[in-house]
Every structure is written in structure tokens, then in C-alpha cells.
Amino acid sequence: MQRTLISLAVMLALTSTLSASAQAAAAKPAASASTQITTQLPRNAVPSHYAVSLVPDAAQRSFSASVTIALDVVQASDSLTLHAADLSFRSAAISAGPGQTVLAADNISIDAKKQTVTLHFPRTLAKGGYQLKLDYDGKISTQASGLFSLDYENGGAKKRALYTQFENSDARAMIPSWDEPAYKATFTLEATIPAGQMAVSNMPVSSTSTLADGRQLVRFATSPKMSTYLLFFAMGEFDRASKVVDGTELGIITQKGMVSQGQFALDSSVAVLKEYNDYFGVKYPLPKLDNIGAPGSSQSFSAMENWGAIFTFENAILLDPRIATQDDQQTSFLVAAHEMAHQWFGDLVTMAWWDDLWLNEGFASWMESRTTHRLHPEWQWPLRAVDTREQAMGQDALATTHPVVQKIDTVEQASQAFDSITYQKGEAVIRMLEDYVGEQAWRSGVRNYMAKHKYGNTVSDDLWRAVEQAAHKPVTAIAHDFTLQPGVPMIRVAAASCSKGQTRVSLTQEEFSKDQPDKKPLRWRVPVIAQTVGGAPVRTLVSNGKASVTLPGCGAVLVNAGQTGYYRTLYAPQAFASLASQFRQLPTIDQLGLLGDSRALGMAGQMPASSALDLASNAAVDAAPQVWNSIAGVLLNLHGLYEGKPDQQAALDRYGRQRLAPVLAHIGWQAGAGESTAVANLRESLVVALGAMGDDSVTAEARRRFAAVGHDARALPPELRRPILGVLAENADATTWEQLHKAAQDEPTPMIKAELYGLLGMAKDAQLARRALELALADEGGVTTSAAIVGHVSGNHPDMAYDYSIAHYAEFEKKVDASARSRYFARLGGRSSDPAMIDKLRAYAGKYLAPQAQGDTNMAIAAIQYRIKVRTTRLPDIDAWLAKHQ
């Protein structure tokens, strides 16, 4: 076999597709691409098909490859420029088709900084169709970018598997290509793999043959037209289970012996695919859809929506019966639902450029939540909407935020776009707009959008037009307000007046900012739902900054009833006091919304900082588990803000134990018959919170159960294992830490092993935390685990974790995904409350990051500055409140 030459079968597959000119027309970026869609490449050529022949050498972490690209030259030129990263080229030649004169490149120039290769030819290429053939070599990474390896143990033997991760801009590390989303093309892939291993790609295997040396040549069917970042390849000793639904073969692929742990994900995928085929009105178009579970972890993602071949780390999808909790089951379902939603929103219809990344991620996040509620109503998923909104607003209320639709110029900026604004704000805005136009109108709009743009590229306005046409309501203007400008609207609710059984209230739109209290507010058109407590809801649109609304009934006024709106609600003091007194009578979702608003507004100085504690004091012991989860979160957040203030922290912790311990006693340590998932999740949260707040009974029970493991299999049931070990790890002495360390060393299962090594980084004890950092530097837990250990250390020791990682920057840089490096180190330091960290972060950014890649550093600095401000100006109010309530 000629390892560097493309096979005849692949060449035939290439030439039997559309003619080059027809393919180019189909694959060309959206209309007026030359002026509308960003590209970092010359616009003189458009690819339509890639035929790739790959020969990986896993042992040496290298590969050789060939690719033949069908393309159209649309502007006469004597050179072609493609993306390429860390590739070395042996040859490059172009021809107008089989039997035509082959023109070899007389110069191949590589620009490592721009990640491009330019092929110079001895004469000008006229307009028309061509085939470009490249022979080259590349590297296999140890982190999750490009073509990468993951090492693990299976049955006591060391194993290595290969996978790819190309989003957002790493296909270029395996294939020289037009590596931008608007340049869609079809792909034919073949790979030479060791005997006894399995190869996986987007499409089913079309043929397998045995070579003279015993290796297997595996060829995959031609893919539909798609963006380069969606191409996938994996190779290793795998098992696969499958089911067929609606004509599609669904599969779960794992390392040997673990496929049974993917059964829940496979069963969930069957239900989800049926739901999506119906919802989108366009049937899933590929013949198969695999979900590939892989050992290890990443600092930037847990799963990737490669078309027909979703990649997911094991800890996000597999359920090991020894450790899996109900929360893990929910996570497994959510991840599958999210990535499967991408098979339509992202894969079938793809954003034209990374400016509109939210079209992929925000929609998939919203779809995962909608589908979870439909298929698992017992999980009460709509209550999670408040948490989703809170995550987004936490970032969106800082001066360093950005619009949902943001300007992206560079690869580094695209990597940083995967954040809470893109995901959580995108989801929250979609939820609000769907509620505004109505569920059926929204669905009709989505179906029309999908049918019109399938296999193509879009921008956000394409979606708004489709929804507006279906709903016959002016949704575009509202959508623009919430996606084209940054920030969080704030609705100020004036004191209400009631007459003749009706309540009149005035609403004023301002802007909620955590660090710019005096900034001139932006203007939004804000859909608002309001009601008196127990009364019928009334809808209005706050525009031009003001509105007034008349509500049936008299009593406390609740704004953002149902919590579908993306805004903060600030009540006049008397109005808030009235709501607080009726806190127990509010629907659970509105209790959660009121808690979220009061915490954020209190810390920002818009209302008393103790307002959330007033609500917590009014919560009944048997309140909804989600409410107590939120209250535990409020208390843990305050506990962290008091770090370094031992007397004040002790006072807060006493109050926290007084409120939370009775709730744990109420639900008990053991799961009851028919217990809901929400209660099980609450038990985990309470054990963790009380352990952090020094509850002696919780710490003692955790130690008792850990000591009993050797003779009592029930001492650490799966639903309690993680929180108990977390309490032990955080409060560990040297003996306990060594016990956990030995458990990590002896554990054969990669997923559990990585979890145990992560626990070693949680110790409050500074010396033990330092030892964890040393383990991370030495890669004792595995090269993909080291960064996670340091991340755990930063929870209690952010300055130590940051200083250590920067002192060993050259080593730790290699332990972090390329796409995550510009954010990983900044996020370690961003947990600090020390003003000195601000200068450290600025120095780091100036030394290691391009100006376009400093967004996460700036956000970390803003978070530190805000935390310092809160500790100085807001905690005294909490101190005074605690003094009165203890």
C-alpha cells in the first residue's frame, strides 16, 4: 500500500459526486458572501468535496495523510491559501480533473501565526473546477483539540484511543482546508487502522479491507454537505450497542466493557430523536447517529455535536452503577438532548460565521430544556430556568459583557465566545420570545427556518424573519434589543394603588449593572407579565422606558410572574416587604425568581444586601427542594465572600447551619421510597453546604461512613458518595488526604480515578493543596486530569493555584486544550479577592495573550473588582442583619 497516496476508491467517490462547478455553487457561502460573511482567507476559491486518506500512528502520536479537494477557482489566481496548523507538506498538485495536466506547486509557504498554507503555482489558474491533491504529515495532540489521543487503563492494561475535536477552528490541524463554517462541503474519509480496533466517523462504514501487513483500511460513506468543524474520526478498542428508530441507527460507543453504562443515554436518544423529528419538521437526514463516550476531560467542553458522531466525555454521559446519582442521570439526558438538537441547529443549518454562534448554542440549550421537560416532567425542569438566567445575568451585568450576537474577528475571539452569554442568555432570550409569540407560532417559525435553510448557512435575522412571519407579531425589534446590545434590563416597580378591586402599578425600565451604577441605561422593549399574588396575569410591553398596567385584584404585586422574562425586577421597599411576607404563598418558580433578584440587587446596592436572607428566613422547612437549593446557594456564596474574615464568617455559618440543618433532618440521609429527583439533589447540596459551613454532625457522619466502607457496602451509596467524599476532601487532614490519594492511585476505572484525583485539590489545608498542585504538575492522575486538579485547588486557594500554574506556565500550557488556554489561567485568578491579583492578571495577559484574546482576563479582573467592592460595602449590612437574627 502506498501510505501517502489516496486510494482509487476514494478518488472514484470524489469524481462521482457533483461536478466541481455545481458543487461550488452549492457549497458557496450565503448570498453576497464577498461582502457579508467574515473570512480570513482569500476569496478566490470555494471547496465542494474533500477526499481524505488518513494513516494515524497512535504510538508515535503522529499521522500521515493525503487529501484531494474538489474546488472551484472563482477568481483567476496563481496561488491558493488554505488553513493548516502544525502540518508539514510533502507535495501539492492541482489539475482540472482526471486525465488532465497535473500542475505541481513550485512553492509551499506556511504562516504558523495565521495558521495557513499558501500554494504557489508556476502559472495562473483560470476560473473553473479543479482537484487539488496534498500529501502531508501532522501531530496527534495529548489535549482535546485537532486529532488527539486519550490514554487510559482497561482491565489492567494501558490503552490509547484517538478522537477528533475540531470546533471551533481545529479541523486545520488534521486537514488543510477552508476551515470556516460558511465553506460547507461533502467529505469522504478513509483510515488505515490496527487490526482489532474500531474506526468511527460521521457516516457508516462503506467497506473494510485487510492490508498485507494485517492492518485494516476502513472507508466511510460520503457525508452530506457540512462545515469542516463537524467532521469526526475516532479509533480504538471500542464496544458499540445500537437501536433503530424512524429509519436511523442510533449507537452508543465506549471503551471495551463499558457499553452497558451507556444504555440510559441510548434509550434517551431514541425518545429524543422521535421528538426532534417531529418538532423540526425535517427528519434527521443521516443514516446513523452515534454517541462516542471517551475517557478523560477537557477544560472547555464535555461534548461535541459532530454530525452523526457526537463526542462526549464519559463523565457526562455514562452511568457507572457504583457512583451514578440521579443528577448524573439528568446530566446524561441533557447532554444527549443538547448535542442531538445541534444535529439540526448547527449541523443541518449552520451559522455563517462565529458572530452568530448563539444560533447553535443558545438554541440547543433551550431545546434541551424544553425536551427534558416534555420527556421527564417529573424532573420539574422549568424551575431550572431561573438558574439559567442567573448564570447569564451574572456575566451580563459587568462592564466586560458583550452582545449575544458579537463581532468575531479572530480564532482566539471565537474560542472565547463559548460563554454564559452565548449559551445561557441565548437560551433565556429564546424562552422569553417563545412565550411572547406563543409556542405554536414559534414552532412554525422554526420549522419554516429549518426547511428553507437546510444544508446552508444563516445569520440571526433569518430566524427572526421566519418567526415573525409565522407569529404575525413584531418579534424582530424585541430580539434585536436583547441580542444586538449587551446588558440586563431592570424593571423598577413603583408602589401600587388599588381601587375597586383593581391594582394600578407603574413600571420604569432601567438597567441593572454590578459595576457601573451611574451608566446611562440602554433601552429595551421588554415583554412583562405581572399579577397580584393569586390574581390573573396581565401582559404588557414596556417600551420607551415606561409603562403602566392594571391588574385584577388587590394585594402584593408580582412582576415577571412565571419568570420567562430576561430582566431584573426592583420593587419599592413596601412592595418587596409585602411579597416577602407572602413568600410561602408564591409559586415555586416565582420564589426562585425573587430569591435571585434580591441576592443580585442586594449585592449591587440597589436594595438591602440582607434582602435574600429575609426571604430565606420566611421559607418553610418543607418548601420545594429547588427553593432550598437556591437558599443553600445564597449562603454558600456569602460564605465564600467572607473568606479571610473568620469572625464574620463564623456568624454567617452559624445562621446557615440553623437554617439548613433542619431541612437535612427533614429529608434525612437515606432516600425514601418514591423520592423525587429534586429531593435527592437537595440532599447532595445540603451535605456539601453544611460541610463547608462547619456542621460537626455532617462532618462526623461523612467520616463515619467513609471509615465503614470496608465492611458496609451501604455506607457510601451512589447518591451520597460524591458529597460525602467532597466534605472529607475539603476538611481533610494529612491522614484522610493520603487515604483519598491511595484510593485514586488504586482505582482502575478512568472516570472514577479522575474524580478522586480532583478531590485531592479541594483541601482547605494549604499544605495539602500544595501537594495536589505538585501531583498535577507531575501528571500523576493523567494528562487530561492535571488541569482539573488545579481548578479544584483554586476553589479554596485561588492565589496559590494561579501563582503555581504561572510559575510553571510552560508545563501547564501543555495540559490545557488549545482553545481553552486564553481563559483557563485567567479563571484561576478570577476567583481571588486580593487586589494584587489584578496586576498579576494584566501582566499575564500582556505577556502571553494577543489583545483579541484577553476577553476572559478582563472578565476575571472585573469579577475581582466587584468582589472586593461587595466585601467592603455590602457585607457590613449582612453583619448587622446576622447580629439581629442570632
Side-chain angles (χ1 to χ4, degrees):
M1 183 193 72
Q2 296 177 303
R3 295 179 59 190
T4 59
L5 296 178
I6 196 162
S7 74
L8 176 61
V10 174
M11 181 65 78
L12 290 174
L14 186 152
T15 55
S16 65
T17 56
L18 298 172
S19 70
S21 58
Q23 294 172 49
K28 190 177 296 184
S32 304
S34 62
T35 58
Q36 292 182 7
I37 298 175
T38 302
T39 181
Q40 297 175 336
L41 295 173
R43 301 179 186 272
N44 60 343
V46 178
S48 57
H49 183 80
Y50 296 84
V52 183
S53 183
L54 178 68
V55 184
D57 186 339
Q60 298 301 315
R61 289 200 176 100
S62 64
F63 66 88
S64 61
S66 295
V67 61
T68 298
I69 308 172
L71 58 90
D72 253 28
V73 172
V74 295
Q75 296 175 7
S77 176
D78 62 0
S79 68
L80 295 172
T81 298
L82 297 75
H83 285 114
D86 292 323
L87 302 178
S88 58
F89 292 85
R90 286 176 272 113
S91 65
I94 195 168
S95 72
Q100 301 297 310
T101 301
V102 176
L103 187 65
D106 57 6
N107 184 31
I108 302 175
S109 59
I110 295 174
D111 188 323
K113 185 176 180 180
K114 292 182 178 179
Q115 299 185 335
T116 60
V117 59
T118 299
L119 312 172
H120 302 271
F121 297 99
R123 64 173 183 265
T124 298
L125 303 174
K127 292 182 180 180
Y130 293 87
Q131 292 182 17
L132 172 66
K133 184 174 183 297
L134 302 167
D135 297 326
Y136 59 97
D137 301 293
K139 302 173 184 178
I140 297 175
S141 174
T142 59
Q143 299 298 327
S145 59
L147 176 61
F148 66 96
S149 64
L150 289 174
D151 292 346
Y152 61 98
E153 287 189 11
N154 184 290
K158 294 183 177 180
K159 303 292 183 181
R160 176 171 293 173
L162 303 183
Y163 308 89
T164 58
Q165 167 60 19
F166 290 163
E167 190 179 30
N168 49 277
S169 306
D170 286 321
R172 64 193 65 177
M174 194 180 91
I175 306 171
S177 54
W178 280 259
D179 192 19
E180 295 175 355
Y183 286 105
K184 286 193 168 186
T186 54
F187 292 82
T188 305
L189 173 66
E190 70 172 25
T192 301
I193 69 171
Q197 294 198 10
M198 181 188 298
V200 185
S201 189
N202 308 77
M203 298 295 288
V205 172
S206 60
S207 68
T208 301
S209 57
T210 301
L211 304 179
D213 60 5
R215 291 180 300 170
Q216 303 289 307
L217 178 62
V218 181
R219 301 185 179 101
F220 298 94
T222 302
S223 77
K225 190 172 62 170
M226 63 186 187
S227 301
T228 49
Y229 77 88
L230 297 171
L231 184 66
F232 179 77
F233 172 75
M235 177 188 90
E237 297 179 26
F238 302 146
D239 282 339
R240 181 175 188 265
S242 64
K243 290 187 175 183
V244 176
V245 57
D246 290 348
T248 300
E249 184 178 348
L250 293 173
I252 184 78
I253 296 173
T254 70
Q255 58 172 289
K256 287 283 187 180
M258 294 180 63
V259 74
S260 63
Q261 296 181 21
Q263 190 63 47
F264 176 78
L266 180 58
D267 293 342
S268 298
S269 297
V270 169
V272 171
L273 186 67
K274 291 179 180 177
E275 176 70 18
Y276 288 173
N277 278 340
D278 176 63
Y279 184 86
F280 289 115
V282 175
K283 186 180 176 183
Y284 175 75
L286 277 66
K288 66 96 175 175
L289 174 56
D290 285 317
N291 202 324
I292 300 95
S297 61
S298 165
Q299 305 79 46
S300 57
F301 75 105
S302 60
M304 173 60 201
E305 67 268 18
N306 314 294
W307 212 358
I310 297 167
F311 172 90
T312 310
F313 285 108
E314 290 174 347
N315 57 15
I317 195 166
L318 300 188
L319 300 179
D320 187 324
R322 294 176 297 163
I323 65 170
T325 66
Q326 292 187 54
D327 184 65
D328 292 329
Q329 188 180 71
Q330 290 178 332
T331 297
S332 178
F333 183 90
L334 285 169
V335 170
H338 182 101
E339 304 307 329
M340 289 178 70
H342 275 309
Q343 305 300 298
W344 285 264
F345 249 95
D347 298 1
L348 181 63
V349 181
T350 312
M351 79 265 142
W353 180 247
W354 302 107
D355 294 6
D356 286 291
L357 174 64
W358 89 279
L359 271 178
N360 288 10
E361 301 300 349
F363 198 96
S365 297
W366 173 79
M367 197 70 186
E368 92 185 28
S369 295
R370 176 195 177 277
T371 304
T372 300
H373 179 51
R374 281 184 59 83
L375 299 182
H376 286 284
E378 73 278 11
W379 290 349
Q380 300 177 296
W381 212 253
L383 298 179
R384 293 286 187 103
V386 178
D387 289 337
T388 298
R389 188 183 66 196
E390 290 299 313
Q391 290 180 53
M393 289 183 176
Q395 178 179 339
D396 207 16
L398 291 170
T400 49
T401 188
H402 60 80
V404 170
V405 179
Q406 56 182 314
K407 179 62 177 172
I408 300 293
D409 292 316
T410 68
V411 169
E412 293 86 359
Q413 286 178 319
S415 296
Q416 294 193 343
F418 294 80
D419 63 5
S420 293
I421 303 301
T422 296
Y423 285 78
Q424 281 78 32
K425 183 175 181 178
E427 176 182 352
V429 168
I430 289 172
R431 181 179 294 107
M432 178 178 66
L433 293 174
E434 186 212 25
D435 182 76
Y436 177 71
V437 304
E439 181 180 352
Q440 292 306 315
W442 178 264
R443 178 179 179 175
S444 296
V446 168
R447 283 184 162 193
N448 294 340
Y449 167 87
M450 202 62 59
K452 181 177 181 180
H453 299 288
K454 59 186 178 182
Y455 302 105
N457 298 89
T458 61
V459 295
S460 295
D461 276 356
D462 294 319
L463 176 61
W464 305 142
R465 280 191 289 268
V467 172
E468 195 163 78
Q469 289 169 7
H472 305 293
K473 293 179 78 170
V475 69
T476 300
I478 299 172
H480 281 176
D481 287 350
F482 282 88
T483 60
L484 299 184
Q485 62 184 6
V488 181
M490 183 172 72
I491 300 298
R492 184 182 291 272
V493 184
S497 61
C498 187
S499 175
K500 298 180 181 179
Q502 290 187 318
T503 298
R504 185 76 174 173
V505 63
S506 296
L507 308 175
T508 305
Q509 182 256 296
E510 300 177 10
E511 182 174 353
F512 172 67
S513 175
K514 298 199 294 189
D515 56 355
Q516 298 183 96
D518 299 323
K519 83 179 288 279
K520 182 179 180 181
L522 298 172
R523 283 281 175 256
W524 289 265
R525 280 154 280 210
V526 185
V528 168
I529 304 175
Q531 65 183 80
T532 56
V533 174
V538 173
R539 294 173 179 268
T540 190
L541 185 69
V542 178
S543 57
N544 297 317
K546 292 183 180 298
S548 60
V549 60
T550 300
L551 309 174
C554 292
V557 173
L558 176 67
V559 173
N560 204 5
Q563 305 302 312
T564 56
Y566 185 81
Y567 55 88
R568 292 283 182 210
T569 305
L570 177 60
Y571 295 93
Q574 182 179 352
F576 179 80
S578 181
L579 276 177
S581 68
Q582 298 183 55
F583 185 71
R584 297 187 186 189
Q585 285 73 53
L586 297 179
T588 299
I589 196 166
D590 292 315
Q591 291 180 344
L592 295 171
L594 199 59
L595 276 165
D597 279 339
S598 62
R599 174 171 60 177
L601 292 164
M603 290 296 104
Q606 294 280 2
M607 59 192 304
S610 56
S611 299
L613 295 180
D614 288 331
L615 298 178
S617 294
N618 285 333
V621 169
D622 61 353
Q626 295 87 348
V627 171
W628 279 112
N629 254 322
S630 182
I631 291 172
V634 169
L635 295 170
L636 269 180
N637 178 260
L638 288 172
H639 173 86
L641 288 170
Y642 274 116
E643 195 64 43
K645 300 174 181 286
D647 293 339
Q648 296 96 318
Q649 188 180 61
L652 182 278
D653 288 348
R654 282 195 299 273
Y655 173 77
R657 294 193 296 269
Q658 290 169 7
R659 294 302 292 144
L660 299 182
V663 183
L664 180 57
H666 175 70
I667 64 174
W669 280 80
Q670 299 298 129
E675 179 178 87
S676 71
T677 300
V679 172
N681 292 343
L682 174 60
R683 183 178 293 109
E684 287 193 58
S685 298
L686 292 174
V687 170
V688 170
L690 286 166
M693 294 179 186
D695 187 292
D696 292 336
S697 64
V698 166
T699 304
E701 179 67 4
R703 288 174 177 154
R704 184 193 70 78
R705 287 173 174 268
F706 184 63
V709 169
H711 61 270
D712 183 1
R714 297 172 298 176
L716 278 184
E719 64 271 15
L720 285 176
R721 176 185 173 278
R722 196 170 290 136
I724 286 175
L725 292 181
V727 169
L728 284 171
E730 190 167 20
N731 296 285
D733 56 17
T735 300
T736 303
W737 194 90
E738 283 297 351
Q739 291 174 324
L740 291 170
H741 185 198
K742 187 175 188 308
Q745 291 174 316
D746 295 344
E747 174 57 49
T749 305
M751 183 164 57
I752 302 177
K753 191 180 193 75
E755 187 176 281
L756 289 169
Y757 269 104
L759 287 170
L760 297 176
M762 293 175 61
K764 290 180 182 177
D765 184 280
Q767 290 184 342
L768 297 177
R770 178 80 181 191
R771 290 181 63 184
L773 292 173
E774 292 167 356
L775 292 181
L777 184 64
D779 285 336
E780 182 182 306
V783 293
T784 66
T785 303
S786 295
I789 295 174
V790 181
H792 282 296
V793 173
S794 72
N796 284 315
H797 308 280
D799 300 272
M800 179 195 296
Y802 176 83
D803 291 344
Y804 190 86
S805 64
I806 294 298
H808 301 87
Y809 184 82
E811 294 96 331
F812 276 110
E813 185 184 34
K814 299 173 184 176
K815 305 177 195 302
V816 180
D817 299 351
S819 60
R821 288 171 189 163
S822 63
R823 53 180 47 183
Y824 174 78
F825 297 96
R827 289 181 176 181
L828 294 177
R831 298 177 178 180
S832 175
S833 298
D834 186 351
M837 181 58 70
I838 295 172
D839 289 334
K840 291 180 184 179
L841 287 170
R842 286 173 176 156
Y844 151 76
K847 182 176 181 179
Y848 293 110
L849 301 179
Q852 302 93 332
Q854 295 182 16
D856 278 87
T857 304
N858 294 333
M859 283 191 289
I861 290 171
I864 294 169
Q865 291 170 330
Y866 181 64
R867 192 175 301 112
I868 292 170
K869 176 183 175 182
V870 166
R871 282 163 58 90
T872 302
T873 63
R874 309 307 298 157
L875 292 188
D877 181 50
I878 303 293
D879 295 336
W881 188 94
L882 290 170
K884 293 179 181 179
H885 290 79
Q886 289 187 3

